[in-house]
Amino acid sequence: MSAPLSRHHATSVAYVGLFAALMAVLGLVPKIDLPFGVPITLQSLGVMLAGCLLGGLRGFQAITLFLIAVAAGLPLLAGGRGGMGVFLTPSSGYLVGYALAAGVTGWLMRWLPVHSPRRAATSAFIASALGGIVFLHLLGIAGLMLFAKLTLQQAIWIDLAFVPGDLIKALLCAAIVHSVAKAMPDWRMGGRTSCHA
C-alpha cells in the first residue's frame, strides 16, 4: 500500500515543480511596461493553467514555490526581476495574488463539468475568468491602492487595462485544457479524484 502512495506523492511533487518551472519559462516572454508600474506579462496564463490542470492545492503549491524562488532573488519574473523588493511595488497585489488565484481557479475547476474535452474547455474558461481574472484583479486593485496610493476608482480604471489581455489568456488556457482533455482523457482536471466527474 505504501508504494502507490509514494508514487502518487512523487507525481504530485513533479507536477508542482513542473508548473513552477513553467511560470519561469513564461517569464522569458518580454513584458510590456505601463506608466503606473504594473507590467503586462504572460505569467498570469501560468496561474490559470496551474489551477485548471493541477487543482487548487497543487496549483497553489506550484505558484507559491515560484514566488519563493522570486523572493530569494532569482530573476524569474518577466523582465528578469526578482528579490523581495518586487513585493513592495504597485504590482505586488497581483504577484501575491498569483498563488491564491491558482488555488481559487483550481477549486472552481474541481466542481465544474469536465466529462468531454469541449466541456472541460468551457469550464476552464469560466474558472480562469473567475479565479485568474476577477479574483486576481481584486487583489491587484488592493495592491495599487496600497503601494501606488491610488483611490479605489483610479485603481479600477488602471486595472481595466489588463482585462482584454487576460481574457485572451483565459481563452488560451481553455484551448490548452481542451487539448489535454482530448489527448489524455484520464487527466484529473482541477485535481478531482474522478477524472470523469
Side-chain angles (χ1 to χ4, degrees), residues 160-188:
L160 288 175
F162 299 102
V163 173
D166 282 353
L167 284 171
I168 293 172
K169 292 172 200 171
L171 286 170
L172 184 55
C173 177
I176 293 171
V177 166
H178 181 274
S179 297
V180 171
K182 198 169 183 180
M184 306 170 69
D186 289 335
W187 188 283
R188 295 176 176 178

Side-chain angles (χ1 to χ4, degrees), residues 69-161:
V70 169
L74 295 180
L76 301 179
L77 293 175
R81 296 168 297 139
M84 287 298 296
V86 299
F87 296 96
L88 300 173
T89 65
S91 63
S92 62
Y94 298 97
L95 293 179
V96 173
Y98 275 176
L100 296 173
V104 170
T105 301
W107 181 82
L108 290 168
M109 187 68 179
R110 183 183 180 93
W111 299 106
L112 291 168
V114 296
H115 53 268
S116 71
R118 189 176 199 178
R119 204 50 93 84
T122 301
S123 294
F125 178 79
I126 293 169
S128 295
L130 293 176
I133 300 178
V134 175
F135 180 77
L136 179 59
H137 284 226
L138 287 174
L139 297 177
I141 288 169
L144 286 168
M145 293 172 65
L146 181 62
F147 291 102
K149 307 301 182 187
L150 300 176
T151 66
L152 176 60
Q153 186 175 11
Q154 289 171 327
I156 289 173
W157 276 110
I158 286 173
D159 180 80
L160 288 175

